[in-house]
């Protein structure tokens, strides 16, 4: 199975700041990486897929980059609703696998 | 509005069985692949398997970690998705999510339920 390693595990930031979350695959997954947001009491939200394609409804302050084994989710000009958990997931090969998550907290 | 609502979770003894349900609404259910994913508290999500759409014969694929113990099925007349779990172990304790697959993008889930909690303990 492809192992997905996210970093950092925890991240503290203030509204208006920019942050980056990294995801590293144990082997090349081409461009096939998705990012999800998880918040308590809410359904998980797909933000980005295929590395950099924004899902419909994802604000433009979110962006994804990378290919091969190294990927980054960047959130510019943080809004209060952006705080939560973020997961990466490779969608290149079966069985598809997730990272352990990054908790984005309010500083 | 797309909605997915899981039910059927709870406490089960080791070795026991449990069936989870997922009620789907707001979309043409038969057009979509449907997935089950679980997440132990504080850990990474784990994809369990999917069932294909009508065009692909409603066939299934499973993560090897649960193949043979878990079975995914669907009732397309009721827009329901099911996960039958047998021979449950303590390590199956998790929140279980159903999720819809983004059309044309295998393994990308564009809609999730809020989850059903399963605890395997004596």
């Amino acid at each position: 199975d492809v192992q997905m390693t996210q970093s950092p595990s925890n991240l503290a930031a203030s509204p208006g700041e920019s942050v980056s979350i990294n995801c590293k695959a144990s082997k090349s997954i081409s461009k096939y990486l998705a990012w999800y947001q998880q918040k308590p009491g809410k359904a998980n939200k797909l933000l980005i897929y295929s590395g950099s394609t924004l899902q419909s409804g994802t604000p433009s302050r979110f962006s994804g980059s990378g290919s091969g084994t190294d990927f980054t989710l960047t959130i510019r000009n943080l809004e209060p609703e952006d705080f939560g958990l973020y997961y990466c997931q490779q969608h290149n090969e079966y069985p598809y696998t997730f990272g352990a998550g990054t908790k984005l907290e309010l500083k | 509005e797309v909605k997915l609502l899981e039910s059927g979770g709870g406490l089960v003894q080791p070795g026991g069985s449990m069936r989870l349900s997922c009620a789907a609404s707001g979309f043409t259910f038969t057009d979509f692949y449907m997935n089950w994913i679980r997440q132990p508290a504080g850990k990474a999500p784990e994809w369990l398997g999917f069932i294909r759409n009508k065009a692909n014969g409603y066939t299934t694929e499973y993560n090897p970690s649960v193949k043979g113990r878990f079975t995914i099925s669907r009732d397309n007349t009721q827009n329901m998705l099911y996960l039958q779990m047998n021979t449950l172990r303590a390590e199956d304790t998790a929140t279980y999510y159903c999720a819809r697959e983004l059309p044309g993008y295998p393994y990308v889930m564009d809609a999730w339920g809020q989850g059903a909690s399963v605890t395997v303990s004596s």
Side-chain angles (χ1 to χ4, degrees):
Chain A
D1 298 1
V2 180
Q3 304 304 313
M4 306 301 296
T5 303
Q6 273 184 251
S7 62
S9 299
N10 295 281
L11 185 55
S14 301
E17 292 183 345
S18 295
V19 297
S20 291
I21 298 170
N22 301 302
C23 186
K24 188 174 184 69
S26 60
K27 61 186 276 192
S28 177
I29 55 170
S30 185
K31 65 177 181 177
Y32 299 110
L33 188 92
W35 292 97
Y36 299 90
Q37 180 190 65
Q38 185 177 78
K39 301 182 79 169
K42 291 194 169 184
N44 291 350
K45 184 179 179 183
L46 171 66
L47 300 172
I48 288 170
Y49 58 95
S50 296
S52 61
T53 302
L54 262 62
Q55 168 66 347
S56 175
T58 300
S60 58
R61 62 181 180 273
F62 289 84
S63 63
S65 62
S67 65
T69 60
D70 293 288
F71 298 82
T72 300
L73 172 70
T74 300
I75 314 171
R76 305 189 194 287
N77 193 19
L78 279 166
E79 296 281 348
E81 62 266 28
D82 297 337
F83 295 92
L85 274 163
Y86 290 84
Y87 292 94
C88 63
Q89 176 233 322
Q90 63 87 10
H91 57 100
N92 184 61
E93 65 177 63
Y94 158 97
Y96 54 87
T97 46
F98 291 81
T102 295
K103 188 173 185 180
L104 176 58
E105 297 179 296
L106 186 62
K107 188 187 290 183
Chain B
E1 182 189 3
V2 173
K3 287 188 178 179
L4 298 169
L5 183 63
E6 301 92 343
S7 61
L11 176 65
V12 60
Q13 292 192 337
S17 297
M18 177 174 279
R19 188 177 84 156
L20 300 180
S21 302
C22 171
S25 61
F27 62 100
T28 303
F29 186 62
T30 54
D31 285 350
F32 290 82
Y33 285 41
M34 297 297 297
N35 291 256
W36 285 98
I37 298 104
R38 70 181 177 186
Q39 186 173 17
K43 295 189 177 181
E46 178 186 27
W47 171 77
L48 300 177
F50 65 65
I51 186 165
R52 293 180 173 90
N53 58 9
K54 181 179 181 180
N56 289 280
Y58 302 129
T59 53
T60 53
E61 299 289 346
Y62 298 94
N63 191 317
S65 65
V66 300
K67 193 172 183 178
R69 290 195 304 129
F70 289 11
T71 302
I72 297 172
S73 61
R74 60 195 295 167
D75 180 344
N76 298 300
T77 64
Q78 299 290 325
N79 289 355
M80 294 292 294
L81 177 72
Y82 300 104
L83 177 66
Q84 177 67 42
M85 303 182 289
N86 297 329
T87 319
L88 284 162
R89 308 163 181 162
E91 54 264 37
D92 295 318
T93 295
T95 299
Y96 286 72
Y97 299 94
C98 62
R100 186 184 83 167
E101 200 159 286
L102 183 67
Y105 290 90
Y107 309 148
V108 178
M109 278 72 69
D110 72 338
W112 296 63
Q114 294 200 13
S117 179
V118 173
T119 301
V120 184
S121 175
S122 55

